[in-house]
Amino acid sequence: TALVCPALPPAAPRTSRTSGGTGVGLVVGVGAGVAVEVAGGTGVAVRVATEVAVAVARAVAKTRELGILICGSGHGMAIAANKIKGVRAVVCTTPASARASRRDDQANVLSLPAWELSWPKARAVVETWLRTLPSSAARHHRRVAKIQRLER
C-alpha cells in the first residue's frame, strides 16, 4: 500500500516569508492504513507555525503516532516540536536522510522545508520516512536512550 497522506495539497505548500510564519501539521497513524489529522494550514484556520508544531508534537508524544510538519524552512517547526518530551523532530530534504532519521534515531516527527522541496521530492521523502522502521541494532537503541535521558 502506498503511504500517501490524502490531506496534503496536490502541490507543495507555498509559505510566504512575510506570512507570519504559517505552517501545516499532520498526525499520521501508520497501523492498518494511513489516517491523517490536519492542524492549521490550507483549508483550515491558519495558525502560527510554532503553534501547529506544538499541537502535532503533543499528539505524537501522547499517541506514539508519527507527525509531519510543513513550513518554509522546516527548522522553526522542528525546534518547537523538539521542546515536547518524547518527540524527536528532524528536517529532511532527501530520502536518504529520511531513512537514516527513522532507522538510526527513531525520529517521530518529520519537518519538511517547502522552500526547498518540489512536490515530487517531498513525496519521496515522506514515503521513505513513513516506510522506514526503527533499527533493532543495540547501538541505535543506546543512542536514543541517551537522547531520552536529556529530556526534562
Side-chain angles (χ1 to χ4, degrees), residues 3 5 8 13 23-28 30 49 52-54 56-57 60-61 65-82 86-103 105-114 117 119-132:
L3 296 172
C5 303
L8 290 177
V24 177
L26 312 167
V27 178
V28 184
V30 291
V52 173
V54 168
V56 168
V60 166
E65 296 292 355
L66 300 174
I68 300 174
L69 305 170
I70 306 168
C71 71
S73 72
H75 298 296
M77 290 184 93
I79 291 168
N82 277 321
V87 170
R88 288 175 301 284
V90 293
V91 176
C92 295
T93 58
T94 66
S97 65
R99 185 176 303 106
S101 75
R102 284 285 297 140
R103 183 190 60 220
D105 301 314
Q106 298 178 16
N108 52 11
V109 174
L110 171 64
S111 188
L112 296 172
L117 294 176
W119 179 247
K121 191 169 181 181
R123 183 176 177 161
V125 169
V126 168
E127 288 182 353
T128 300
W129 191 77
L130 289 174
R131 285 190 175 117
T132 302

Short mmCIF file of all heavy atoms in Angstrom, two decimals, residues 3 5 8 13 23-28 30 49 52-54 56-57 60-61 65-82 86-103 105-114 117 119-132:
data_model
loop_
_atom_site.label_atom_id
_atom_site.label_comp_id
_atom_site.label_asym_id
_atom_site.label_seq_id
_atom_site.Cartn_x
_atom_site.Cartn_y
_atom_site.Cartn_z
N LEU A 3 1.95 4.74 1.03
CA LEU A 3 1.75 5.57 2.21
C LEU A 3 1.71 7.02 1.77
O LEU A 3 2.71 7.71 1.75
CB LEU A 3 2.88 5.32 3.21
CG LEU A 3 2.93 3.93 3.79
CD1 LEU A 3 4.18 3.74 4.62
CD2 LEU A 3 1.71 3.66 4.64
N CYS A 5 -0.34 10.72 2.17
CA CYS A 5 -1.24 11.48 3.03
C CYS A 5 -2.29 12.19 2.18
O CYS A 5 -1.95 13.15 1.50
CB CYS A 5 -0.45 12.50 3.85
SG CYS A 5 0.82 11.72 4.84
N LEU A 8 -2.71 16.12 2.12
CA LEU A 8 -1.73 17.03 1.56
C LEU A 8 -2.25 17.62 0.26
O LEU A 8 -2.88 16.93 -0.53
CB LEU A 8 -0.40 16.32 1.30
CG LEU A 8 0.40 15.93 2.53
CD1 LEU A 8 1.65 15.18 2.10
CD2 LEU A 8 0.76 17.11 3.37
N PRO A 13 3.15 23.07 -0.44
CA PRO A 13 2.57 24.27 0.13
C PRO A 13 3.47 25.47 -0.10
O PRO A 13 4.68 25.36 -0.03
CB PRO A 13 2.46 23.96 1.62
CG PRO A 13 3.35 22.81 1.85
CD PRO A 13 3.50 22.07 0.56
N GLY A 23 2.07 27.35 8.98
CA GLY A 23 2.52 26.02 8.62
C GLY A 23 1.39 25.02 8.67
O GLY A 23 0.30 25.33 9.14
N VAL A 24 1.66 23.83 8.20
CA VAL A 24 0.71 22.73 8.20
C VAL A 24 1.31 21.61 9.01
O VAL A 24 2.50 21.34 8.92
CB VAL A 24 0.44 22.24 6.76
CG1 VAL A 24 -0.50 21.04 6.76
CG2 VAL A 24 -0.12 23.35 5.90
N GLY A 25 0.48 20.95 9.81
CA GLY A 25 0.95 19.81 10.58
C GLY A 25 0.01 18.64 10.43
O GLY A 25 -1.20 18.81 10.33
N LEU A 26 0.56 17.43 10.39
CA LEU A 26 -0.22 16.22 10.24
C LEU A 26 0.17 15.23 11.32
O LEU A 26 1.34 15.13 11.68
CB LEU A 26 0.07 15.57 8.88
CG LEU A 26 0.03 16.45 7.65
CD1 LEU A 26 0.64 15.72 6.47
CD2 LEU A 26 -1.39 16.84 7.34
N VAL A 27 -0.80 14.49 11.83
CA VAL A 27 -0.52 13.36 12.69
C VAL A 27 -0.92 12.15 11.87
O VAL A 27 -2.06 12.03 11.42
CB VAL A 27 -1.32 13.42 14.00
CG1 VAL A 27 -1.04 12.19 14.84
CG2 VAL A 27 -0.98 14.68 14.77
N VAL A 28 0.02 11.25 11.64
CA VAL A 28 -0.19 10.13 10.73
C VAL A 28 -0.19 8.83 11.52
O VAL A 28 0.78 8.51 12.19
CB VAL A 28 0.94 10.08 9.67
CG1 VAL A 28 0.68 8.98 8.68
CG2 VAL A 28 1.08 11.42 8.97
N VAL A 30 0.07 4.97 11.21
CA VAL A 30 0.57 4.05 10.19
C VAL A 30 0.29 2.59 10.54
O VAL A 30 1.04 1.71 10.19
CB VAL A 30 2.09 4.26 9.93
CG1 VAL A 30 2.33 5.56 9.24
CG2 VAL A 30 2.89 4.13 11.19
N ALA A 49 3.03 28.80 12.80
CA ALA A 49 3.73 27.53 12.62
C ALA A 49 4.14 26.89 13.94
O ALA A 49 4.00 25.67 14.10
CB ALA A 49 4.95 27.74 11.73
N VAL A 52 1.21 25.13 15.53
CA VAL A 52 0.90 23.89 14.81
C VAL A 52 1.91 22.82 15.20
O VAL A 52 1.55 21.68 15.48
CB VAL A 52 0.92 24.12 13.28
CG1 VAL A 52 0.76 22.81 12.52
CG2 VAL A 52 -0.18 25.11 12.88
N ALA A 53 3.19 23.17 15.23
CA ALA A 53 4.24 22.21 15.57
C ALA A 53 4.03 21.64 16.96
O ALA A 53 4.15 20.42 17.17
CB ALA A 53 5.61 22.88 15.47
N VAL A 54 3.70 22.49 17.92
CA VAL A 54 3.50 22.03 19.29
C VAL A 54 2.25 21.15 19.38
O VAL A 54 2.26 20.12 20.06
CB VAL A 54 3.42 23.23 20.27
CG1 VAL A 54 2.93 22.80 21.63
CG2 VAL A 54 4.80 23.89 20.38
N VAL A 56 0.96 19.22 17.01
CA VAL A 56 1.30 17.93 16.42
C VAL A 56 2.24 17.16 17.34
O VAL A 56 2.05 15.97 17.58
CB VAL A 56 1.91 18.12 15.01
CG1 VAL A 56 2.54 16.82 14.50
CG2 VAL A 56 0.84 18.63 14.05
N ALA A 57 3.25 17.83 17.88
CA ALA A 57 4.21 17.16 18.77
C ALA A 57 3.53 16.59 20.01
O ALA A 57 3.83 15.47 20.42
CB ALA A 57 5.31 18.14 19.17
N VAL A 60 1.72 13.47 18.96
CA VAL A 60 2.68 12.39 18.71
C VAL A 60 3.17 11.81 20.04
O VAL A 60 3.22 10.59 20.22
CB VAL A 60 3.86 12.89 17.85
CG1 VAL A 60 5.02 11.89 17.85
CG2 VAL A 60 3.39 13.15 16.42
N ALA A 61 3.52 12.67 20.99
CA ALA A 61 4.01 12.21 22.29
C ALA A 61 2.94 11.40 23.03
O ALA A 61 3.24 10.41 23.69
CB ALA A 61 4.46 13.40 23.13
N GLU A 65 2.09 8.02 17.58
CA GLU A 65 1.96 8.00 16.12
C GLU A 65 3.12 8.82 15.55
O GLU A 65 4.03 9.20 16.29
CB GLU A 65 0.62 8.62 15.69
CG GLU A 65 -0.59 7.84 16.16
CD GLU A 65 -0.76 6.48 15.48
OE1 GLU A 65 0.02 6.15 14.57
OE2 GLU A 65 -1.67 5.75 15.88
N LEU A 66 3.08 9.12 14.27
CA LEU A 66 4.10 9.93 13.63
C LEU A 66 3.50 11.27 13.25
O LEU A 66 2.30 11.37 13.01
CB LEU A 66 4.63 9.23 12.39
CG LEU A 66 5.28 7.86 12.61
CD1 LEU A 66 5.63 7.22 11.28
CD2 LEU A 66 6.51 7.99 13.49
N GLY A 67 4.34 12.31 13.18
CA GLY A 67 3.88 13.63 12.78
C GLY A 67 4.67 14.15 11.61
O GLY A 67 5.86 13.84 11.45
N ILE A 68 4.00 14.94 10.78
CA ILE A 68 4.65 15.58 9.64
C ILE A 68 4.30 17.06 9.68
O ILE A 68 3.13 17.42 9.80
CB ILE A 68 4.21 14.97 8.30
CG1 ILE A 68 4.57 13.49 8.26
CG2 ILE A 68 4.86 15.72 7.13
CD1 ILE A 68 4.05 12.76 7.04
N LEU A 69 5.33 17.90 9.59
CA LEU A 69 5.17 19.35 9.62
C LEU A 69 5.67 19.92 8.30
O LEU A 69 6.62 19.42 7.72
CB LEU A 69 5.98 19.95 10.77
CG LEU A 69 5.69 19.38 12.16
CD1 LEU A 69 6.73 19.88 13.15
CD2 LEU A 69 4.28 19.73 12.59
N ILE A 70 5.01 20.97 7.84
CA ILE A 70 5.44 21.63 6.60
C ILE A 70 5.40 23.13 6.82
O ILE A 70 4.36 23.67 7.22
CB ILE A 70 4.50 21.28 5.42
CG1 ILE A 70 4.38 19.78 5.25
CG2 ILE A 70 5.01 21.93 4.13
CD1 ILE A 70 3.27 19.36 4.31
N CYS A 71 6.52 23.78 6.61
CA CYS A 71 6.56 25.24 6.65
C CYS A 71 7.68 25.69 5.72
O CYS A 71 8.22 24.88 4.98
CB CYS A 71 6.74 25.77 8.08
SG CYS A 71 8.36 25.49 8.78
N GLY A 72 8.03 26.94 5.75
CA GLY A 72 9.04 27.48 4.83
C GLY A 72 10.36 26.75 4.90
O GLY A 72 10.75 26.04 3.97
N SER A 73 11.08 26.89 6.01
CA SER A 73 12.39 26.26 6.14
C SER A 73 12.32 24.90 6.82
O SER A 73 13.22 24.09 6.70
CB SER A 73 13.34 27.15 6.94
OG SER A 73 12.95 27.15 8.31
N GLY A 74 11.25 24.67 7.59
CA GLY A 74 11.13 23.44 8.37
C GLY A 74 11.83 23.51 9.71
O GLY A 74 11.51 22.77 10.63
N HIS A 75 12.76 24.44 9.86
CA HIS A 75 13.59 24.48 11.07
C HIS A 75 12.83 24.96 12.31
O HIS A 75 12.94 24.34 13.37
CB HIS A 75 14.83 25.34 10.84
CG HIS A 75 15.71 24.80 9.76
ND1 HIS A 75 16.35 23.60 9.86
CD2 HIS A 75 16.02 25.30 8.54
CE1 HIS A 75 17.04 23.37 8.75
NE2 HIS A 75 16.84 24.39 7.94
N GLY A 76 12.10 26.05 12.18
CA GLY A 76 11.38 26.58 13.35
C GLY A 76 10.38 25.59 13.91
O GLY A 76 10.27 25.42 15.13
N MET A 77 9.67 24.91 13.03
CA MET A 77 8.70 23.92 13.48
C MET A 77 9.40 22.74 14.16
O MET A 77 8.94 22.22 15.17
CB MET A 77 7.82 23.45 12.33
CG MET A 77 6.85 24.52 11.85
SD MET A 77 5.73 23.93 10.57
CE MET A 77 4.32 23.42 11.58
N ALA A 78 10.54 22.30 13.62
CA ALA A 78 11.28 21.19 14.22
C ALA A 78 11.80 21.58 15.60
O ALA A 78 11.71 20.79 16.55
CB ALA A 78 12.44 20.77 13.32
N ILE A 79 12.30 22.79 15.72
CA ILE A 79 12.81 23.26 17.02
C ILE A 79 11.68 23.29 18.04
O ILE A 79 11.83 22.82 19.18
CB ILE A 79 13.49 24.63 16.88
CG1 ILE A 79 14.79 24.49 16.09
CG2 ILE A 79 13.74 25.27 18.24
CD1 ILE A 79 15.39 25.81 15.63
N ALA A 80 10.53 23.85 17.65
CA ALA A 80 9.39 23.92 18.57
C ALA A 80 8.92 22.52 18.96
O ALA A 80 8.66 22.24 20.14
CB ALA A 80 8.25 24.72 17.94
N ALA A 81 8.81 21.63 17.99
CA ALA A 81 8.35 20.26 18.26
C ALA A 81 9.30 19.54 19.22
O ALA A 81 8.86 18.78 20.09
CB ALA A 81 8.21 19.48 16.95
N ASN A 82 10.59 19.78 19.08
CA ASN A 82 11.58 19.11 19.92
C ASN A 82 11.53 19.56 21.38
O ASN A 82 12.17 18.95 22.23
CB ASN A 82 12.98 19.30 19.35
CG ASN A 82 13.27 18.29 18.27
OD1 ASN A 82 12.88 17.13 18.36
ND2 ASN A 82 13.92 18.73 17.21
N GLY A 86 9.57 13.40 24.48
CA GLY A 86 9.23 12.22 23.70
C GLY A 86 9.23 12.45 22.21
O GLY A 86 9.02 11.51 21.44
N VAL A 87 9.49 13.67 21.77
CA VAL A 87 9.49 13.98 20.34
C VAL A 87 10.92 14.11 19.84
O VAL A 87 11.76 14.74 20.48
CB VAL A 87 8.69 15.27 20.06
CG1 VAL A 87 8.88 15.74 18.62
CG2 VAL A 87 7.22 15.05 20.36
N ARG A 88 11.17 13.49 18.70
CA ARG A 88 12.45 13.61 18.01
C ARG A 88 12.12 14.09 16.60
O ARG A 88 11.86 13.29 15.70
CB ARG A 88 13.20 12.27 18.01
CG ARG A 88 13.75 11.92 19.40
CD ARG A 88 14.39 10.55 19.47
NE ARG A 88 13.49 9.46 19.12
CZ ARG A 88 12.52 8.99 19.92
NH1 ARG A 88 12.33 9.51 21.12
NH2 ARG A 88 11.75 8.00 19.52
N ALA A 89 12.11 15.41 16.42
CA ALA A 89 11.76 16.03 15.15
C ALA A 89 13.01 16.30 14.33
O ALA A 89 14.03 16.73 14.87
CB ALA A 89 10.99 17.32 15.38
N VAL A 90 12.90 16.06 13.03
CA VAL A 90 14.03 16.25 12.12
C VAL A 90 13.57 16.98 10.87
O VAL A 90 12.41 16.89 10.49
CB VAL A 90 14.67 14.90 11.72
CG1 VAL A 90 15.33 14.23 12.91
CG2 VAL A 90 13.64 13.98 11.09
N VAL A 91 14.49 17.69 10.25
CA VAL A 91 14.26 18.28 8.93
C VAL A 91 14.99 17.39 7.94
O VAL A 91 16.19 17.16 8.08
CB VAL A 91 14.81 19.73 8.85
CG1 VAL A 91 14.64 20.28 7.44
CG2 VAL A 91 14.13 20.62 9.87
N CYS A 92 14.27 16.90 6.95
CA CYS A 92 14.88 16.04 5.93
C CYS A 92 14.56 16.59 4.55
O CYS A 92 13.44 17.02 4.29
CB CYS A 92 14.35 14.61 6.02
SG CYS A 92 14.81 13.77 7.54
N THR A 93 15.56 16.55 3.68
CA THR A 93 15.37 17.01 2.31
C THR A 93 15.66 15.93 1.28
O THR A 93 15.52 16.17 0.09
CB THR A 93 16.25 18.24 2.01
OG1 THR A 93 17.62 17.88 2.25
CG2 THR A 93 15.86 19.43 2.88
N THR A 94 16.09 14.76 1.73
CA THR A 94 16.36 13.66 0.81
C THR A 94 15.80 12.36 1.39
O THR A 94 15.70 12.22 2.62
CB THR A 94 17.88 13.46 0.59
OG1 THR A 94 18.47 13.03 1.83
CG2 THR A 94 18.55 14.72 0.08
N PRO A 95 15.47 11.41 0.54
CA PRO A 95 15.06 10.11 1.05
C PRO A 95 16.12 9.45 1.93
O PRO A 95 15.79 8.80 2.92
CB PRO A 95 14.79 9.29 -0.22
CG PRO A 95 14.37 10.32 -1.22
CD PRO A 95 15.27 11.51 -0.92
N ALA A 96 17.39 9.65 1.62
CA ALA A 96 18.47 9.05 2.43
C ALA A 96 18.47 9.61 3.84
O ALA A 96 18.60 8.85 4.81
CB ALA A 96 19.82 9.29 1.76
N SER A 97 18.31 10.92 3.99
CA SER A 97 18.29 11.49 5.35
C SER A 97 17.01 11.07 6.07
O SER A 97 17.01 10.85 7.29
CB SER A 97 18.44 13.01 5.32
OG SER A 97 17.34 13.64 4.69
N ALA A 98 15.90 10.93 5.35
CA ALA A 98 14.65 10.48 5.96
C ALA A 98 14.80 9.06 6.48
O ALA A 98 14.40 8.74 7.61
CB ALA A 98 13.52 10.56 4.94
N ARG A 99 15.42 8.20 5.69
CA ARG A 99 15.63 6.80 6.09
C ARG A 99 16.51 6.73 7.33
O ARG A 99 16.19 6.04 8.30
CB ARG A 99 16.26 6.03 4.93
CG ARG A 99 16.42 4.55 5.18
CD ARG A 99 16.97 3.80 3.96
NE ARG A 99 16.14 4.00 2.77
CZ ARG A 99 16.47 4.78 1.73
NH1 ARG A 99 17.63 5.42 1.71
NH2 ARG A 99 15.66 4.91 0.70
N ALA A 100 17.61 7.46 7.32
CA ALA A 100 18.53 7.43 8.47
C ALA A 100 17.88 7.98 9.73
O ALA A 100 18.10 7.46 10.83
CB ALA A 100 19.80 8.22 8.13
N SER A 101 17.07 9.01 9.59
CA SER A 101 16.45 9.62 10.78
C SER A 101 15.48 8.66 11.45
O SER A 101 15.37 8.63 12.68
CB SER A 101 15.74 10.93 10.42
OG SER A 101 14.52 10.70 9.73
N ARG A 102 14.75 7.87 10.68
CA ARG A 102 13.81 6.89 11.25
C ARG A 102 14.56 5.66 11.74
O ARG A 102 14.33 5.17 12.85
CB ARG A 102 12.76 6.46 10.21
CG ARG A 102 11.70 7.47 9.96
CD ARG A 102 10.65 7.54 11.06
NE ARG A 102 9.92 6.29 11.19
CZ ARG A 102 9.57 5.76 12.34
NH1 ARG A 102 9.86 6.36 13.46
NH2 ARG A 102 8.92 4.63 12.38
N ARG A 103 15.46 5.14 10.92
CA ARG A 103 16.15 3.88 11.23
C ARG A 103 17.10 4.05 12.42
O ARG A 103 17.05 3.28 13.37
CB ARG A 103 16.92 3.40 10.00
CG ARG A 103 17.62 2.07 10.17
CD ARG A 103 18.54 1.77 9.01
NE ARG A 103 19.56 2.82 8.92
CZ ARG A 103 20.00 3.34 7.78
NH1 ARG A 103 19.53 2.93 6.63
NH2 ARG A 103 20.92 4.28 7.78
N ASP A 105 17.75 7.00 14.42
CA ASP A 105 17.43 7.90 15.53
C ASP A 105 15.98 7.83 15.97
O ASP A 105 15.56 8.59 16.84
CB ASP A 105 17.78 9.34 15.14
CG ASP A 105 19.25 9.48 14.78
OD1 ASP A 105 20.09 8.96 15.53
OD2 ASP A 105 19.55 10.09 13.74
N GLN A 106 15.21 6.96 15.36
CA GLN A 106 13.79 6.79 15.69
C GLN A 106 13.04 8.13 15.69
O GLN A 106 12.23 8.40 16.57
CB GLN A 106 13.63 6.07 17.02
CG GLN A 106 14.20 4.67 17.01
CD GLN A 106 14.08 3.97 18.34
OE1 GLN A 106 13.32 4.37 19.21
NE2 GLN A 106 14.83 2.91 18.51
N ALA A 107 13.31 8.98 14.70
CA ALA A 107 12.59 10.25 14.58
C ALA A 107 11.10 9.96 14.47
O ALA A 107 10.69 9.03 13.77
CB ALA A 107 13.08 11.03 13.37
N ASN A 108 10.29 10.76 15.17
CA ASN A 108 8.84 10.54 15.11
C ASN A 108 8.09 11.76 14.57
O ASN A 108 6.87 11.74 14.46
CB ASN A 108 8.29 10.09 16.46
CG ASN A 108 8.68 11.00 17.60
OD1 ASN A 108 9.21 12.08 17.41
ND2 ASN A 108 8.43 10.54 18.82
N VAL A 109 8.80 12.82 14.25
CA VAL A 109 8.22 13.98 13.58
C VAL A 109 9.15 14.40 12.45
O VAL A 109 10.35 14.57 12.66
CB VAL A 109 7.99 15.17 14.55
CG1 VAL A 109 7.51 16.41 13.81
CG2 VAL A 109 6.98 14.79 15.64
N LEU A 110 8.58 14.54 11.26
CA LEU A 110 9.32 14.97 10.08
C LEU A 110 8.88 16.38 9.76
O LEU A 110 7.68 16.65 9.64
CB LEU A 110 9.00 14.05 8.90
CG LEU A 110 9.52 14.46 7.52
CD1 LEU A 110 11.05 14.45 7.51
CD2 LEU A 110 8.96 13.53 6.46
N SER A 111 9.83 17.29 9.61
CA SER A 111 9.54 18.67 9.25
C SER A 111 10.09 18.93 7.85
O SER A 111 11.28 18.80 7.61
CB SER A 111 10.18 19.62 10.27
OG SER A 111 9.75 20.93 10.05
N LEU A 112 9.18 19.29 6.94
CA LEU A 112 9.57 19.49 5.54
C LEU A 112 9.73 20.97 5.22
O LEU A 112 8.86 21.77 5.56
CB LEU A 112 8.51 18.90 4.62
CG LEU A 112 8.32 17.39 4.69
CD1 LEU A 112 7.11 16.97 3.87
CD2 LEU A 112 9.57 16.67 4.22
N PRO A 113 10.82 21.34 4.54
CA PRO A 113 11.03 22.72 4.12
C PRO A 113 10.40 22.98 2.74
O PRO A 113 10.95 22.59 1.72
CB PRO A 113 12.55 22.85 4.08
CG PRO A 113 13.02 21.47 3.74
CD PRO A 113 12.01 20.52 4.33
N ALA A 114 9.25 23.64 2.74
CA ALA A 114 8.54 23.90 1.48
C ALA A 114 9.34 24.76 0.52
O ALA A 114 9.17 24.67 -0.70
CB ALA A 114 7.19 24.55 1.77
N LEU A 117 11.83 22.05 -1.31
CA LEU A 117 11.41 20.79 -1.92
C LEU A 117 10.31 20.97 -2.95
O LEU A 117 9.32 21.66 -2.68
CB LEU A 117 10.89 19.83 -0.83
CG LEU A 117 11.89 19.33 0.19
CD1 LEU A 117 11.20 18.47 1.23
CD2 LEU A 117 13.01 18.56 -0.47
N TRP A 119 7.18 19.21 -5.05
CA TRP A 119 6.21 18.23 -4.57
C TRP A 119 6.69 16.79 -4.79
O TRP A 119 6.61 15.97 -3.87
CB TRP A 119 4.84 18.47 -5.23
CG TRP A 119 3.85 17.46 -4.77
CD1 TRP A 119 3.27 16.49 -5.52
CD2 TRP A 119 3.35 17.28 -3.44
NE1 TRP A 119 2.43 15.73 -4.76
CE2 TRP A 119 2.47 16.18 -3.48
CE3 TRP A 119 3.58 17.92 -2.24
CZ2 TRP A 119 1.81 15.73 -2.35
CZ3 TRP A 119 2.90 17.46 -1.12
CH2 TRP A 119 2.04 16.38 -1.17
N PRO A 120 7.22 16.41 -5.96
CA PRO A 120 7.68 15.02 -6.13
C PRO A 120 8.78 14.64 -5.13
O PRO A 120 8.80 13.53 -4.61
CB PRO A 120 8.19 14.97 -7.57
CG PRO A 120 7.46 16.07 -8.26
CD PRO A 120 7.29 17.16 -7.23
N LYS A 121 9.70 15.57 -4.87
CA LYS A 121 10.78 15.28 -3.93
C LYS A 121 10.23 15.16 -2.50
O LYS A 121 10.62 14.27 -1.74
CB LYS A 121 11.86 16.35 -4.01
CG LYS A 121 13.13 15.96 -3.27
CD LYS A 121 14.27 16.90 -3.57
CE LYS A 121 15.52 16.47 -2.85
NZ LYS A 121 16.63 17.37 -3.09
N ALA A 122 9.31 16.05 -2.13
CA ALA A 122 8.70 15.99 -0.80
C ALA A 122 7.97 14.66 -0.62
O ALA A 122 8.07 14.02 0.44
CB ALA A 122 7.74 17.17 -0.60
N ARG A 123 7.26 14.25 -1.64
CA ARG A 123 6.52 12.98 -1.57
C ARG A 123 7.49 11.81 -1.38
O ARG A 123 7.23 10.90 -0.59
CB ARG A 123 5.69 12.81 -2.83
CG ARG A 123 4.84 11.58 -2.81
CD ARG A 123 3.98 11.50 -4.04
NE ARG A 123 3.23 10.27 -4.00
CZ ARG A 123 2.15 10.05 -4.69
NH1 ARG A 123 1.68 10.98 -5.49
NH2 ARG A 123 1.53 8.90 -4.62
N ALA A 124 8.61 11.82 -2.10
CA ALA A 124 9.60 10.75 -1.96
C ALA A 124 10.17 10.72 -0.54
O ALA A 124 10.36 9.65 0.04
CB ALA A 124 10.72 10.93 -2.98
N VAL A 125 10.44 11.89 0.03
CA VAL A 125 10.95 11.98 1.40
C VAL A 125 9.92 11.41 2.37
O VAL A 125 10.25 10.59 3.25
CB VAL A 125 11.33 13.43 1.76
CG1 VAL A 125 11.62 13.58 3.25
CG2 VAL A 125 12.54 13.89 0.94
N VAL A 126 8.67 11.85 2.24
CA VAL A 126 7.60 11.40 3.16
C VAL A 126 7.39 9.90 3.04
O VAL A 126 7.31 9.19 4.05
CB VAL A 126 6.28 12.16 2.89
CG1 VAL A 126 5.12 11.52 3.63
CG2 VAL A 126 6.43 13.62 3.30
N GLU A 127 7.29 9.38 1.83
CA GLU A 127 7.06 7.95 1.66
C GLU A 127 8.20 7.12 2.22
O GLU A 127 7.97 6.11 2.89
CB GLU A 127 6.79 7.62 0.19
CG GLU A 127 5.43 8.11 -0.26
CD GLU A 127 5.08 7.77 -1.69
OE1 GLU A 127 5.94 7.24 -2.43
OE2 GLU A 127 3.94 8.03 -2.07
N THR A 128 9.43 7.55 1.99
CA THR A 128 10.59 6.83 2.55
C THR A 128 10.55 6.87 4.06
O THR A 128 10.75 5.86 4.74
CB THR A 128 11.91 7.45 2.04
OG1 THR A 128 11.94 7.34 0.62
CG2 THR A 128 13.12 6.76 2.65
N TRP A 129 10.27 8.04 4.62
CA TRP A 129 10.25 8.21 6.08
C TRP A 129 9.17 7.33 6.71
O TRP A 129 9.41 6.68 7.72
CB TRP A 129 10.04 9.69 6.41
CG TRP A 129 10.25 10.06 7.83
CD1 TRP A 129 11.46 10.22 8.46
CD2 TRP A 129 9.25 10.34 8.80
NE1 TRP A 129 11.24 10.59 9.77
CE2 TRP A 129 9.91 10.67 10.00
CE3 TRP A 129 7.86 10.35 8.77
CZ2 TRP A 129 9.23 11.00 11.16
CZ3 TRP A 129 7.18 10.69 9.92
CH2 TRP A 129 7.86 11.01 11.10
N LEU A 130 7.99 7.30 6.11
CA LEU A 130 6.89 6.50 6.66
C LEU A 130 7.14 5.00 6.53
O LEU A 130 6.71 4.22 7.38
CB LEU A 130 5.57 6.86 5.98
CG LEU A 130 4.99 8.23 6.32
CD1 LEU A 130 3.77 8.52 5.46
CD2 LEU A 130 4.65 8.33 7.80
N ARG A 131 7.83 4.58 5.50
CA ARG A 131 8.08 3.15 5.27
C ARG A 131 9.24 2.61 6.10
O ARG A 131 9.36 1.38 6.25
CB ARG A 131 8.37 2.91 3.79
CG ARG A 131 7.14 2.98 2.94
CD ARG A 131 7.47 2.49 1.53
NE ARG A 131 6.26 2.45 0.75
CZ ARG A 131 6.04 3.18 -0.33
NH1 ARG A 131 6.97 3.99 -0.77
NH2 ARG A 131 4.90 3.10 -0.98
N THR A 132 10.11 3.47 6.58
CA THR A 132 11.31 3.02 7.29
C THR A 132 11.00 2.69 8.74
O THR A 132 10.43 3.51 9.46
CB THR A 132 12.41 4.09 7.22
OG1 THR A 132 12.69 4.37 5.84
CG2 THR A 132 13.68 3.61 7.90
#
